[in-house]
Amino acid sequence: MGAYAIDPGLDDLAATARAALVREIEASGAWAADPVWREAFESVPRHLFVPYYYVGALAGGYERRWGEDPSPRRRENWVRGAYADAPLATRVRDGELLSSSSQPSLMAKMLAELAVRDGDAVLEIGAGTGYNAALLSHRLGDGQVTTVDLDPEITDSARRHLALAGHHPTVVTGDGARGCPERAPFDRIIATCTLSTIPRAWLAQCAPGARILAPFATGLIALRVRDSGYAEGRFLHTPAYFVPLRGGGRPGPELPDADLSELPRRTRSHELLRFLLTLTADSLDPHEAYGIWEREGQPPRQRYGITVDGDRAWAWLDDPAGPYAWPLP
């Protein structure tokens, strides 16, 4: 077999596994807001975008699965794993995860929440394997999709995967924090990497009324862009964990466990508290954040939002002009 080719004998297994994945995503309700995405997931073969990936090994570290493994059994495991509703580690260096293919049901949720319309121009920040760009291209057409990544190895492999699947969107090697001005304006921007601030360049490249959907803290923020200087929106209820935006993007805050040691033990790992701690890490100490969290009834993500107004950006609880607001970079 040549590079990135699948064993012809595995075609039926791939089709069966893809159909099972679609049923699983359907049952999760991930694309309930826009069921048209079902057709894209039925049509785009994920295994072409993950010719190899890594899974945790029993002895620690990662085990590589790939489509050209000499073992027929291991090739079958590769196909089945490619259609699991799970994230797949695709680039690992010195034990550190550098890139991954996101969990398909989360991808479906994000694409449905992007609320695309026919004719929309979409910018994707973080090319990854190219799978998400292929889903967008299937829905909107190649000419409407641009995907950007800082790493030329990632963009080169994404182009190969996309071409093998029959899609040719614009793939750009560059700093995602700067957007892609030569392809602007965009009606939608979707990021597949975690932000710690909202890049102002994105707003300037958006058409009025555009929507930005991006991981932030441990959630997903959905912003409506009014103009090049103003955007506002709330978080979705969905948890989301992605690798950080690289390049001009600012590294996200970390939460050393030592800083949490004096909080009640039962709450330290509470998912919604960790969200607030991450969102306010540059503004509040953990005790202040914990006090707000308890006082406000352990608020879910949907009560939080972000506003960008010129040079100012802030996160808030319930009301952009309310008493709980925290500056962002």
Side-chain angles (χ1 to χ4, degrees):
M1 290 182 292
Y4 305 112
I6 185 173
D7 182 342
L10 295 179
D11 283 342
D12 289 344
L13 176 59
T16 300
R18 184 160 64 253
L21 174 62
V22 168
R23 290 193 298 271
E24 187 172 355
I25 298 174
E26 179 88 34
S28 76
W31 52 50
D34 190 358
V36 177
W37 283 108
R38 178 187 177 111
E39 182 185 346
F41 281 84
E42 286 176 331
S43 300
V44 177
R46 190 188 190 202
H47 66 272
L48 296 184
F49 294 86
V50 286
Y52 60 88
Y53 56 87
Y54 301 88
V55 296
L58 291 177
Y62 291 92
E63 172 191 338
R64 186 175 188 249
R65 290 183 181 173
W66 60 309
E68 297 187 61
D69 195 299
S71 165
R73 179 182 58 81
R74 289 196 292 264
R75 290 199 299 274
E76 291 179 2
N77 288 339
W78 162 72
V79 170
R80 291 190 179 94
Y83 289 102
D85 187 25
L88 297 175
T90 54
R91 299 177 75 83
V92 175
R93 183 178 300 154
D94 298 328
E96 179 185 359
L97 175 64
L98 300 180
S99 185
S100 64
S101 178
S102 302
Q103 182 179 8
S105 59
L106 179 57
M107 296 173 71
K109 175 69 173 177
M110 292 177 68
L111 289 169
E113 294 290 347
L114 193 60
V116 298
R117 305 156 300 184
D118 290 348
D120 277 351
V122 178
L123 173 64
E124 179 192 32
I125 307 297
T129 65
Y131 180 51
N132 202 56
L135 294 165
L136 285 162
S137 294
H138 181 88
R139 173 75 182 269
L140 298 170
D142 291 348
Q144 300 303 111
V145 178
T146 303
T147 184
V148 178
D149 203 286
L150 186 66
D151 189 332
E153 292 185 12
I154 289 177
T155 51
D156 286 348
S157 62
R159 285 190 194 95
R160 290 196 298 270
H161 302 160
L162 284 157
L164 192 60
H167 292 289
H168 300 276
T170 299
V171 182
V172 177
T173 303
D175 184 352
R178 298 176 182 173
C180 187
E182 64 271 24
R183 294 276 294 170
F186 299 103
D187 303 293
R188 299 288 186 270
I189 295 180
I190 183 170
T192 58
C193 44
T194 297
L195 309 181
S196 58
T197 190
I198 306 299
R200 307 305 193 270
W202 294 4
L203 273 61
Q205 294 169 34
C206 280
R211 185 171 175 86
I212 295 174
L213 184 67
F216 201 105
T218 65
L220 292 170
I221 186 67
L223 297 172
R224 180 65 64 186
V225 179
R226 186 183 71 190
D227 54 44
S228 62
Y230 189 91
E232 187 171 273
R234 289 183 179 268
F235 283 86
L236 308 182
H237 76 278
T238 309
Y241 298 86
F242 287 80
V243 296
L245 174 67
R246 294 178 293 157
R250 178 177 173 274
E254 296 183 359
L255 298 174
D257 287 340
D259 290 350
L260 311 182
S261 60
E262 295 184 13
L263 298 183
R265 183 180 297 275
R266 63 182 176 80
T267 66
R268 291 177 202 167
S269 61
H270 194 292
E271 210 270 326
L272 289 174
L273 176 59
R274 300 290 292 202
F275 168 73
L276 177 58
L277 291 170
T278 306
L279 185 65
T280 62
D282 289 329
S283 304
L284 300 178
D285 69 42
H287 297 280
E288 292 177 291
Y290 173 74
I292 293 171
W293 186 70
E294 284 284 20
R295 190 161 56 248
E296 291 301 314
Q298 303 180 6
R301 285 180 175 81
Q302 307 94 291
R303 288 178 57 186
Y304 297 90
I306 289 176
T307 300
V308 181
D309 188 358
D311 293 334
R312 295 177 58 234
W314 64 97
W316 40 265
L317 175 65
D318 291 332
D319 184 348
Y324 298 122
W326 308 283
L328 297 175

